[in-house]
Amino acid sequence: MKTLVLNASYEPLGVVSTRRAILLVLSGKASTVAASGALLHSRSVVMDAPSVVLLNQYIKVPRRRIPLTRKSALERYGHVCAYCGKYGDTLDHVVPRARGGTHSWDNVVVACFRCNNHKSDSLLAELGWKLPFELREPDLDMASLISLRWNEPQWDEYTTPWRRHQLQLAG
């Protein structure tokens, strides 16, 4: 079982094992916000297993950049070809590296095998193609990453950005 950990500002920090979450609650470092419904028994205590815990003290989290890897690009673009909209599983440099293009977020898209081979070392203008979106480095949003990796309906109200903002204003 997994537990969502929220910073004191209700910002999602990550996902930990339920055992780790219980240790945080029992040591007074966090409080349970939502229970999973599963009962945990020890020799002297019976408690609900936490599904979401809130840290009692704010933790400053340094903002990092997302490295450009095949896996991160495929996750970001949802395995959708930038050129035809079908399933894509290869990376394509919009400005080919052979023509001075860089391996960076503002030059890499996901493409299907067919489009990638057809484009080859050509520029988009030479083929008459256009991208349906603007290329830019993705924002590191922990809430989005958590909702992509774990499909937990109980966590939706904490990982949805507008809901998280409302909770911050209310709290």
Side-chain angles (χ1 to χ4, degrees), residues 6-83:
L6 303 175
N7 209 342
S9 63
Y10 283 87
E11 175 188 8
L13 287 180
V15 178
V16 297
S17 69
T18 301
R19 182 181 189 280
R20 175 72 178 132
I22 290 169
L23 290 174
L24 287 170
V25 170
L26 292 177
S27 66
K29 295 179 181 177
S31 55
T32 301
V33 175
S36 67
L39 291 177
L40 299 174
H41 301 269
S42 76
R43 185 170 160 190
S44 59
V45 177
V46 176
M47 68 181 290
D48 262 336
S51 175
V52 180
V53 296
L54 176 68
L55 294 178
N56 295 333
Q57 289 189 334
Y58 180 80
I59 303 293
K60 184 173 180 177
V61 181
R63 300 293 174 209
R64 300 184 320 251
R65 296 176 64 181
I66 298 175
L68 176 57
T69 62
R70 183 175 185 274
K71 181 179 177 181
S72 63
L74 291 172
E75 280 184 9
R76 177 183 188 193
Y77 295 114
H79 292 268
V80 175
C81 177
Y83 306 120

Side-chain angles (χ1 to χ4, degrees), residues 54-127:
L54 176 68
L55 294 178
N56 295 333
Q57 289 189 334
Y58 180 80
I59 303 293
K60 184 173 180 177
V61 181
R63 300 293 174 209
R64 300 184 320 251
R65 296 176 64 181
I66 298 175
L68 176 57
T69 62
R70 183 175 185 274
K71 181 179 177 181
S72 63
L74 291 172
E75 280 184 9
R76 177 183 188 193
Y77 295 114
H79 292 268
V80 175
C81 177
Y83 306 120
C84 69
K86 295 180 181 173
Y87 177 81
D89 59 357
T90 64
L91 297 186
D92 181 58
H93 293 85
V94 178
V95 176
R97 294 183 88 175
R99 293 191 174 194
T102 60
H103 184 70
S104 61
W105 283 108
D106 56 354
N107 190 43
V108 172
V109 295
V110 171
C112 66
F113 183 76
R114 185 175 181 199
C115 289
N116 202 349
N117 279 341
H118 181 69
K119 181 180 170 290
S120 186
D121 281 345
S122 304
L123 297 174
L124 295 181
E126 294 171 354
L127 299 172

Side-chain angles (χ1 to χ4, degrees), residues 99-158:
R99 293 191 174 194
T102 60
H103 184 70
S104 61
W105 283 108
D106 56 354
N107 190 43
V108 172
V109 295
V110 171
C112 66
F113 183 76
R114 185 175 181 199
C115 289
N116 202 349
N117 279 341
H118 181 69
K119 181 180 170 290
S120 186
D121 281 345
S122 304
L123 297 174
L124 295 181
E126 294 171 354
L127 299 172
W129 291 4
K130 286 188 175 185
L131 286 175
F133 50 84
E134 184 180 324
L135 294 174
R136 63 180 177 81
E137 186 172 348
D139 298 325
L140 181 62
D141 181 11
M142 191 55 71
S144 299
L145 293 174
I146 290 170
S147 60
L148 281 173
R149 292 209 173 121
W150 288 279
N151 186 17
E152 294 287 337
Q154 256 189 325
W155 298 354
D156 286 348
E157 67 179 291
Y158 305 103

